[in-house]
Amino acid sequence: MIQEKDKSIVSKKIIKVLGDDFVEHMDDIAVEEPLQISISILEPESPITNKNISITMRTPGHDQDLAIGFLFTEGIIQASDQIKGITLGENSINVQLNNSENIDLGKLERHFYTSSSCGVCGKASIEAIKTICRLPPSLADFQVDKNLIKSFPGILKQEQNIFNNTGGIHAAALFNVNGELITIREDVGRHNALDKIIGHLVTQDLLPLDQHLLFLSGRASFELIQKAAMAGIHFIMAVGAPSSLAVEMALEHDITLIGFLNETRYNIYTGPKRIKI
């Protein structure tokens, strides 16, 4: 944990204004740095094909999970057995793939630049935004107690180590249907935090996540609903509001979508059948 914190947080001298007083203070700030994601396609008796996929602004830490999650949620890979190896550099990561038969190099042209606030920036067309889930369909026919849902913000606050130090970072957390925390990831980018979770579970061959609950620390945007759908998630909660396209995407993929969640209230936008009242 100490090593992760060192990569994710930097201390800077600032001046705090308290009333009429100016006070020097050492403040923890969340790190934001670029990460270049590239792939190498390994084919027997053929030259290696190298391709730069994305430059994303992220908080360092769990870079391998981030890269794998990004490749999965963008539909570039479908399973961990396609990954031959991973090479980490200074703010760069290369994923070697040993199965190229399902990889469309033309499709990869849509990836260019991903800021910490936008997960779809730089895609070449509206059609390029949508990706197709290749996991088997699931009914996800569980129910979650209406009061259990209100407990998740408190759990997230306790587990957000980087946020508690900096106040400037997002989180995504995955729970089982009994409300037990499975994993949490933090990042300056909402979509990066989710990719880190999904990438971590792709490497463990634990997808689909159709018996899990996803909690997001910010708003529920279209890109986050789509990434969750790619991983087979059918229950999403968010502290903030969903967008209209996020609600449409949730309906399309039979996802229960909750917004404005805190310890006392929440709004149900889609899929009330999974909430026990």
Side-chain angles (χ1 to χ4, degrees), residues 41-78:
I41 301 173
L42 311 178
E43 298 181 271
E45 301 178 0
S46 298
I48 296 174
T49 301
N50 297 304
K51 188 76 175 177
N52 289 331
I53 301 300
S54 174
I55 298 174
T56 183
M57 301 303 297
R58 98 303 188 194
T59 299
H62 302 292
D63 286 344
Q64 178 172 313
D65 291 340
L66 172 57
I68 294 172
F70 180 83
L71 294 176
F72 179 85
T73 59
E74 289 295 326
I76 297 170
I77 63 171
Q78 290 80 53

Side-chain angles (χ1 to χ4, degrees), residues 92-154:
S92 67
I93 186 167
N94 176 262
V95 182
Q96 296 96 51
L97 304 178
N98 60 10
N99 178 7
S100 63
E101 63 183 31
N102 293 321
I103 298 174
D104 181 356
L105 288 178
K107 176 183 175 184
L108 303 185
E109 295 296 337
R110 74 189 194 199
H111 306 297
F112 178 61
Y113 174 77
T114 306
S115 73
S116 57
S117 61
C118 177
V120 297
C121 298
K123 292 188 176 179
S125 65
I126 295 296
E127 291 73 19
I129 292 175
K130 287 195 173 185
T131 48
I132 299 173
C133 178
R134 302 188 184 184
L135 295 173
S138 169
L139 294 176
D141 55 353
F142 57 82
Q143 283 194 313
V144 181
D145 184 85
K146 63 178 182 179
N147 292 316
L148 176 62
I149 292 169
K150 297 175 186 175
S151 70
F152 293 125

Side-chain angles (χ1 to χ4, degrees), residues 174-195:
L174 196 71
F175 298 84
N176 64 23
V177 294
N178 296 317
E180 299 167 329
L181 180 65
I182 304 301
T183 187
I184 182 173
R185 292 290 185 267
E186 295 180 274
D187 200 280
V188 289
R190 289 182 291 264
H191 50 280
N192 288 340
L194 181 52
D195 276 341

Side-chain angles (χ1 to χ4, degrees), residues 8 25 33-34 69 71 84 86 103 126 136 153 168 235 247 263 273:
S8 304
H25 175 77
E33 292 181 351
L71 294 176
K84 180 71 172 178
I86 295 177
I103 298 174
I126 295 296
F235 200 106
V247 173
E263 289 85 351
K273 64 184 179 182

Side-chain angles (χ1 to χ4, degrees), residues 130 216 219-226 228-229 236 238 240-258 269-270:
K130 287 195 173 185
L216 305 170
R219 63 184 178 88
S221 63
F222 160 81
E223 64 213 354
L224 294 176
I225 305 303
Q226 178 170 257
I236 303 174
S243 68
S244 62
L245 196 55
V247 173
E248 290 178 21
M249 177 66 66
L251 282 170
E252 180 181 340
H253 290 277
D254 187 28
I255 292 171
T256 297
L257 178 59
I258 291 172
Y269 291 89
T270 62

